Amino acid sequence: MRSLLLLVSLGFAAADNGLAGWLRYAPLPSGSHSHYTRPSSILALNSTTSSPVYVAGQELQSGFKNILGDNIEIQHGGCQPSAVVVGTVAQYKDVCGGVEGIPELAEDGFWLSTKGKGVQILGQNDRGALYGAFEYISMLAQGNSSQVAYATNPSAPVRWVNQWDNMDGSIERGYGGASIFFANGTIVKDLSRAAQYARLLASIGLNAVVVNNVNANATTLTSENIEGLGKIADVFRPYGVQLGISLNFASPQTLGGLPTFDPLNSSVIAWWQNVTDEIYQRIPDMAGYLVKADSEGEPGPATYNRTLADAANLFAKAVKNYGGIVMFRAFVYNQLDESDWKADRAKAAVQFFGPLDGKFDSNVVVQIKYGPIDFQVREPTSPLFANLLNTNTAMELEVTQEYLGQQSHLLYLPPLWKTVLDFDLRVDGKQSIVRDIISGKRFDRPLGGWAAVVNVGTNTTWLGSHLAMSNLYAYGRLAWNPTNNVESILQDWIRLTFGFDLSVINGITKMSMDSWPAYESYSGNLGIQTLTDILYTHFGPNPASQDNNGWGQWTRADHLSVGMDRTVSNGTGYSGQYPAEIAAMYENIDTTPDNLLLWFHHVNWTHHLHSGKTVIQHFYDAHYAGAETAQTFLQTWESLKGKIDEERYNDVLTKLTFQSGHSIVWRDAINDFYWNMTGIPDDANRVGNHPWRVEAESMTLNGYKTYNVSPFEAASKSVAIVTSSNSTTGTATTKLEYPSGTYDLAVNYYDLYGGKSHWKVYLGDRLIGKWVGNNEDVLSHTPSIYLDGHSATRITFRGVSVNKGDTLKIVGTPDGVEPAPLDYISLLPPGIVD
Ligand SMILES: *[C@@H]1O[C@H](CO)[C@@H](O)[C@H](O)[C@H]1NC(C)=O
Ligand SMILES: *[C@@H]1O[C@H](CO)[C@@H](O)[C@H](O)[C@H]1NC(C)=O
Ligand SMILES: *[C@@H]1O[C@H](CO)[C@@H](O)[C@H](O)[C@H]1NC(C)=O
Ligand SMILES: *[C@@H]1O[C@H](CO)[C@@H](O)[C@H](O)[C@H]1NC(C)=O
Ligand SMILES: *[C@@H]1O[C@H](CO)[C@@H](O)[C@H](O)[C@H]1NC(C)=O
Ligand SMILES: *[C@@H]1O[C@H](CO)[C@@H](O)[C@H](O)[C@H]1NC(C)=O
Ligand SMILES: *[C@@H]1O[C@H](CO)[C@@H](O)[C@H](O)[C@H]1NC(C)=O
Ligand SMILES: *[C@@H]1O[C@H](CO)[C@@H](O)[C@H](O)[C@H]1NC(C)=O
Ligand SMILES: *[C@@H]1O[C@H](CO)[C@@H](O)[C@H](O)[C@H]1NC(C)=O
Ligand SMILES: *[C@@H]1O[C@H](CO)[C@@H](O)[C@H](O)[C@H]1NC(C)=O
Ligand SMILES: *[C@@H]1O[C@H](CO)[C@@H](O)[C@H](O)[C@H]1NC(C)=O
Ligand SMILES: *[C@@H]1O[C@H](CO)[C@@H](O)[C@H](O)[C@H]1NC(C)=O
């Protein structure tokens, strides 16, 4: 029997800082849980406080108390049919006898039954029991009192997260504050956030955290730090979360003082074994190592002409007797020369790892990014998944939005991940879906699974944005079961995080599901990559940064044509790295999907897509459409005011307001850049034609001077204004020659790191609005010290009544290195956003 409780919206506490994530255990509306039978007790079949089963009992008690208002006592022995029992199947058998009807469970799996008088939550192991308890609490918290009885198992044994935390407490590509693990070269004393992190991860079935950056510092392995890592492992353990460690390949030399780090040298092997023994003495359940070698300047086996398999197996042997594994990153590539038409970074992983297939020890897992370049807004599935048939593999995803808005743009990532997880690579002409390859199913591998770079920090929102947490939640849910529907996962998260109001559920669902297509549309579409600045912050637009350097993220755009020719017939040959059916599809421009056209083919800007549009017109249209969709996120969120607590409402409002403006910055930068390059006008005459704008440089300036922005496309008409000195105020004045009426006034300015300028805008003598350049304090993204696509920002003052001939004046007061920069203003009639 199924029933869903009818729930009405609740009053909210005024503030929620996000720390509890989706584990808020918010009270259900009273009277709404009549179908639920109060259990007589909670029976947690382990009384050791560090046991996940014990923790499961505590969580259940807290869940009943907070969600349902029931104080239920915990017992650790005796068998009562009307209790909620949590433990392993084996413990249950000992205490309560029969376990008929429960199928054989895989490692970490569990059985959940709410049929009958009591509730049984039985894990294959301790942490499986905890996972089951969290799943049951999730049902309670969502007001779901269905009678269920089912077994569930994870898709794969490896369900890890990676943190790129440095020993000094900074986090590479982290947007949620400083490290919760490290500061000042060592492990922090207060590990309460580490424990809370483990709790969040356990609640979604994730089982290990590699705590330090893949660009690893050898000092992580000093005896003092190993003791500190042990303390982290101690706070993880009750949640069934294991600790993993990133290694620096040169450690035997840099830390150990040996003259070499040759992986085949016996003193090097002995050094690594000795360190590994020391680690396992302190952390007997250490999950294993993560290794980035010979990649982006990191040391590796190439120094000694040894293979990447020699390197991986060195560590595999060291951890083998302890049950540890080695996650070995496939992200290995060299700098390339763009003048060579056949050079292609996308081919590197298969070139380096393909020949090593079958040479890795059985406890090595090759960790492969979803696409062959680097976490772009769309990439084809990495062909390496189809080239390692005798090697364990895992997929590497990024929850942290490195190239995808850095948590200052809303972007629900699972629909992007699904394009790869659900892709059928047709190895040997047989169904070979990527999720079945990484689980080990397709090629009958014993190990495999998932890794995601998460990079939570000390910010109470964890990731730097409340809405970004849906990505972490969904990552865990997909790693458990990649066939789960990404919209259903999202809605579970919304109910757990924001409650049951239907307008809240529908609003956040719509925004989130629209967010990746919108971002793709206003950043880089047709498979050209994100078009962000790859040489600096990876945040705002800078298409020119892709080319004329050795990084190999090229677009090969010129005034006539664009795209990477990755065909076998005339290009880099990359398409030939796929199994025959897939290779044939991508080789042929007619069967290549439009959304990957420029990934695989070099075409004229006037080439017609399957859609019928030319490439250039598609760029223009998509950028307008994407930015328009981003405006709706803000409108939707504003419609939810009063239905979400003020703290989270305002935090998210700040980000969506920024995104609505920054999506226009993206739109115009990309469109202006390619219009400039091609000289081909927009059919709809929008690009370069902005009738509602007044350029700052065309205003009357006093104490301001013009400034040529670089890259040019990061400013409207490529010019902005800055104060003439960094200590005196500037004014920019213009007479408004628009018909009298009510307008939204948008002001585009630049917010640099290293100063907090003040601006005031007046109509005549009337102060219309003022603001401060404090993005670095209120947004999560990496700030910039320049006027560019990262610092470009828009603020909007709504409903300003203007009379024809009014004088508009902006007064800018510089601060620090920020010279109160301005780009343009727009006076927008109702319904127009430009
Ligand atoms: C209880 O938990 C502890 C700690 O995890 C574990 O060592 C012990 O084996 C468990 N007891 C039983 C009976 O499973
Ligand atoms: C209640 O939870 C069960 C178990 O997860 C699920 O199968 C069912 O669809 C849920 N019911 C509703 C209405 O969400
Ligand atoms: C790091 O060291 C600085 C300077 O000694 C000190 O002020 C700070 O509190 C330390 N931080 C932590 C987290 O230990
Ligand atoms: C490694 O960590 C040590 C100790 O914190 C620090 O002095 C050193 O600069 C770090 N090395 C690198 C390359 O970051
Ligand atoms: C290991 O390296 C050391 C130092 O370079 C060298 O003396 C020794 O001969 C090497 N051993 C082997 C077995 O290669
Ligand atoms: C082995 O590790 C121990 C610490 O466990 C350390 O004291 C010792 O110096 C190490 N030996 C070598 C040869 O590195
Ligand atoms: C590197 O190793 C390969 C294969 O073992 C060998 O053919 C080659 O000569 C070696 N190169 C150098 C520079 O030692
Ligand atoms: C073939 O490759 C050359 C560069 O070697 C390039 O200039 C040309 O445009 C390509 N031809 C086609 C049809 O893509
Ligand atoms: C691309 O444009 C060039 C220059 O206009 C022209 O010569 C060439 O034929 C075009 N290529 C195709 C495939 O249309
Ligand atoms: C493109 O921009 C550059 C730099 O601002 C400018 O010199 C050039 O005239 C522009 N070209 C076109 C076709 O707009
Ligand atoms: C969290 O980050 C936001 C910016 O994303 C910032 O406004 C806020 O002050 C930070 N809070 C904490 C506690 O660090
Ligand atoms: C202001 O400008 C002067 C002269 O350019 C410079 O020396 C000074 O460092 C600047 N002050 C700040 C706070 O940036």
Side-chain angles (χ1 to χ4, degrees):
M1 190 197 76
R2 289 191 163 192
S3 63
L4 179 63
L5 305 178
L6 267 183
L7 298 165
V8 291
S9 78
L10 267 182
F12 275 98
D16 183 329
N17 64 12
L19 197 57
W22 52 85
L23 297 178
R24 300 165 73 240
Y25 298 175
L28 287 185
S30 57
S32 66
H33 32 92
S34 53
H35 297 274
Y36 143 87
T37 321
R38 189 181 186 281
S40 59
S41 64
I42 296 159
L43 177 57
L45 298 174
N46 194 317
S47 58
T48 308
T49 56
S50 62
S51 155
V53 170
Y54 180 89
V55 170
Q58 303 290 312
E59 289 289 339
L60 287 163
Q61 186 179 50
S62 161
F64 285 120
K65 182 165 189 300
N66 293 300
I67 298 166
L68 297 160
D70 282 341
N71 286 305
I72 300 179
E73 132 194 23
I74 303 177
Q75 294 170 357
H76 298 291
C79 188
Q80 294 173 26
S82 56
V84 175
V85 186
V86 63
T88 64
V89 175
Q91 288 163 344
Y92 185 77
K93 210 170 175 180
D94 285 350
V95 177
C96 296
V99 289
E100 290 87 45
I102 303 182
E104 189 82 9
L105 297 170
E107 191 183 349
D108 295 352
F110 63 87
W111 163 260
L112 172 62
S113 170
T114 62
K115 289 185 171 159
K117 274 196 196 158
V119 175
Q120 297 169 338
I121 305 170
L122 305 180
Q124 182 269 349
N125 55 14
D126 282 8
R127 71 177 161 215
L130 177 59
Y131 297 158
F134 275 119
E135 179 136 323
Y136 179 59
I137 296 167
S138 169
M139 284 179 68
L140 293 181
Q142 293 185 63
N144 180 344
S145 62
S146 309
Q147 302 284 299
V148 297
Y150 63 92
T152 175
N153 294 303
S155 71
V158 177
R159 301 181 308 281
W160 292 21
V161 303
N162 296 174
Q163 287 279 138
W164 288 353
D165 295 30
N166 297 315
M167 300 304 293
D168 66 4
S170 61
I171 304 180
E172 187 168 336
R173 314 296 176 197
Y175 311 105
S179 175
I180 61 173
F181 301 118
F182 306 110
N184 292 341
T186 188
I187 285 78
V188 297
K189 290 205 174 59
D190 178 1
L191 290 170
S192 52
R193 289 294 300 273
Q196 289 163 21
Y197 189 30
R199 176 174 177 251
L200 283 170
L201 299 178
S203 75
I204 47 174
L206 298 173
N207 60 9
V209 183
V210 178
V211 290
N212 62 317
N213 193 350
V214 286
N215 295 321
N217 188 321
T219 64
T220 311
L221 301 180
T222 63
S223 292
E224 184 205 350
N225 284 338
I226 289 173
E227 173 55 30
L229 293 170
K231 290 188 172 134
I232 300 176
D234 292 344
V235 305
F236 282 177
R237 195 168 292 111
Y239 295 98
V241 172
Q242 290 171 267
L243 177 129
I245 303 173
S246 292
L247 298 181
N248 183 301
F249 198 77
S251 301
Q253 191 175 71
T254 51
L255 183 66
L258 300 185
T260 175
F261 55 91
D262 178 353
L264 299 189
N265 179 290
S266 52
S267 55
V268 169
I269 294 169
W271 189 88
W272 279 115
Q273 189 64 58
N274 189 49
V275 168
T276 301
D277 293 344
E278 188 185 352
I279 292 169
Y280 275 97
Q281 214 158 36
R282 179 62 182 81
I283 314 172
D285 58 352
M286 206 273 288
Y289 292 137
L290 171 61
V291 185
K292 173 177 180 180
D294 285 332
S295 167
E296 300 186 326
E298 291 300 317
T303 306
Y304 302 97
N305 195 28
R306 309 298 189 196
T307 71
L308 294 159
D310 293 333
N313 294 341
L314 162 71
F315 305 115
K317 288 183 172 61
V319 297
K320 186 164 180 76
N321 289 338
Y322 299 107
I325 68 174
V326 174
M327 302 293 286
F328 200 84
R329 286 180 102 223
F331 189 56
V332 180
Y333 64 93
N334 293 324
Q335 293 271 318
L336 297 168
D337 177 2
E338 192 170 358
S339 69
D340 176 1
W341 186 257
K342 294 189 187 293
D344 190 357
R345 170 170 157 190
K347 289 196 298 188
V350 169
Q351 286 170 336
F352 280 106
F353 284 84
L356 300 174
D357 187 28
K359 301 213 162 86
F360 293 94
D361 285 3
S362 60
N363 59 334
V364 173
V365 179
V366 175
Q367 180 170 319
I368 306 169
K369 293 189 184 193
Y370 60 80
I373 295 285
D374 197 12
F375 301 130
Q376 297 299 293
V377 71
R378 187 186 292 271
E379 298 192 36
T381 300
S382 170
L384 190 55
F385 291 113
N387 281 269
L388 297 180
L389 314 193
N390 301 295
T391 302
N392 305 318
T393 58
M395 182 177 301
E396 181 175 310
L397 302 170
E398 240 185 356
V399 166
T400 191
Q401 296 166 225
E402 174 182 354
Y403 289 94
L404 304 174
Q406 304 188 349
Q407 279 89 300
S408 293
H409 288 234
L410 169 66
L411 207 164
Y412 182 56
L413 294 157
L416 159 62
W417 299 340
K418 276 281 195 176
T419 62
V420 174
L421 290 169
D422 292 349
F423 192 78
D424 184 352
L425 279 161
R426 308 294 304 164
V427 178
D428 296 330
K430 295 199 192 85
Q431 186 178 78
S432 308
I433 302 178
V434 174
R435 58 173 188 260
D436 296 332
I437 295 175
I438 60 174
S439 72
K441 229 179 280 167
R442 172 63 179 88
F443 302 126
D444 200 17
R445 300 298 311 168
L447 262 184
W450 303 69
V453 184
V454 176
N455 293 351
V456 298
T458 52
N459 196 281
T460 59
T461 64
W462 296 95
L463 285 166
S465 150
H466 297 284
L467 294 186
M469 287 293 267
S470 60
N471 289 319
L472 179 55
Y473 179 82
Y475 167 62
R477 293 282 307 272
L478 287 172
W480 191 273
N481 181 358
T483 65
N484 274 333
N485 176 287
V486 296
E487 190 170 318
S488 312
I489 293 175
L490 174 68
Q491 296 195 327
D492 286 347
W493 174 80
I494 298 170
R495 279 186 288 267
L496 296 170
T497 307
F498 291 107
F500 301 95
D501 187 296
L502 273 182
S503 55
V504 171
I505 295 172
N506 293 337
I508 299 177
T509 300
K510 179 88 168 64
M511 289 159 62
S512 303
M513 294 307 292
D514 286 349
S515 61
W516 170 56
Y519 189 88
E520 181 181 30
S521 294
Y522 64 72
S523 61
N525 33 50
L526 300 179
I528 198 173
Q529 305 166 92
T530 308
L531 299 179
T532 187
D533 189 330
I534 67 160
L535 304 175
Y536 183 34
T537 68
H538 297 191
F539 179 63
N542 186 353
S545 71
Q546 315 285 129
D547 291 281
N548 300 310
N549 58 55
W551 292 103
Q553 295 186 214
W554 306 320
T555 69
R556 293 193 182 279
D558 62 21
H559 70 290
L560 282 179
S561 53
V562 60
M564 283 290 288
D565 184 346
R566 291 189 157 107
T567 60
V568 173
S569 58
N570 187 58
T572 72
Y574 166 86
S575 66
Q577 291 187 338
Y578 289 96
E581 289 171 49
I582 306 302
M585 172 177 72
Y586 289 141
E587 181 72 14
N588 182 346
I589 197 166
D590 296 328
T591 52
T592 302
D594 282 350
N595 60 31
L596 284 172
L597 176 74
L598 301 180
W599 189 283
F600 285 101
H601 300 280
H602 185 80
V603 299
N604 283 347
W605 286 105
T606 51
H607 171 82
H608 284 270
L609 301 167
H610 299 303
S611 71
K613 284 184 188 175
T614 61
V615 170
I616 188 70
Q617 193 59 40
H618 179 97
F619 266 51
Y620 295 152
D621 292 347
H623 283 82
Y624 271 88
E628 201 174 308
T629 303
Q631 312 307 309
T632 67
F633 303 162
L634 180 59
Q635 289 158 10
T636 301
W637 190 255
E638 288 179 327
S639 76
L640 305 179
K641 189 171 167 63
K643 297 176 172 172
I644 289 166
D645 62 279
E646 265 179 50
E647 183 169 5
R648 290 187 298 174
Y649 177 81
N650 288 328
D651 282 357
V652 172
L653 184 70
T654 300
K655 298 218 158 62
L656 295 176
T657 301
F658 172 79
Q659 181 178 7
S660 67
H662 203 233
S663 66
I664 293 173
V665 170
W666 264 102
R667 179 195 79 186
D668 291 346
I670 301 299
N671 283 346
D672 287 350
F673 181 83
Y674 291 112
W675 176 47
N676 176 284
M677 179 180 271
T678 64
I680 302 173
D682 169 25
D683 284 347
N685 195 28
R686 296 156 298 187
V687 177
N689 178 24
H690 305 282
W692 306 103
R693 283 187 192 177
V694 181
E695 297 293 333
E697 64 272 21
S698 68
M699 297 184 185
T700 304
L701 305 183
N702 191 346
Y704 262 119
K705 61 182 181 189
T706 60
Y707 182 91
N708 293 324
V709 172
S710 173
F712 76 87
E713 71 276 11
S716 186
K717 302 232 190 290
S718 81
V719 179
I721 61 170
V722 296
T723 52
S724 313
S725 94
N726 61 9
S727 54
T728 52
T729 292
T731 60
T733 313
T734 186
K735 200 167 159 199
L736 297 174
E737 297 295 357
Y738 295 98
S740 300
T742 301
Y743 295 85
D744 287 346
L745 171 67
V747 182
N748 279 57
Y749 65 103
Y750 299 84
D751 191 326
L752 316 191
Y753 181 71
K756 294 188 177 67
S757 306
H758 288 250
W759 291 263
K760 286 181 177 168
V761 52
Y762 298 86
L763 258 192
D765 292 334
R766 186 158 53 101
L767 180 66
I768 304 289
K770 55 181 183 172
W771 72 98
V772 184
N774 63 348
N775 278 357
E776 59 271 42
D777 294 340
V778 299
L779 294 174
S780 47
H781 68 86
T782 305
S784 167
I785 57 170
Y786 307 109
L787 278 74
D788 57 20
H790 320 298
S791 58
T793 308
R794 164 181 289 214
I795 189 167
T796 303
F797 302 97
R798 293 189 195 155
V800 178
S801 72
V802 174
N803 289 313
K804 187 166 183 188
D806 274 354
T807 297
L808 179 139
K809 179 173 73 174
I810 302 182
V811 179
T813 307
D815 181 61
V817 300
E818 189 177 77
L822 288 165
D823 185 5
Y824 65 90
I825 65 149
S826 297
L827 216 56
L828 301 164
I832 291 188
V833 178
D834 191 30

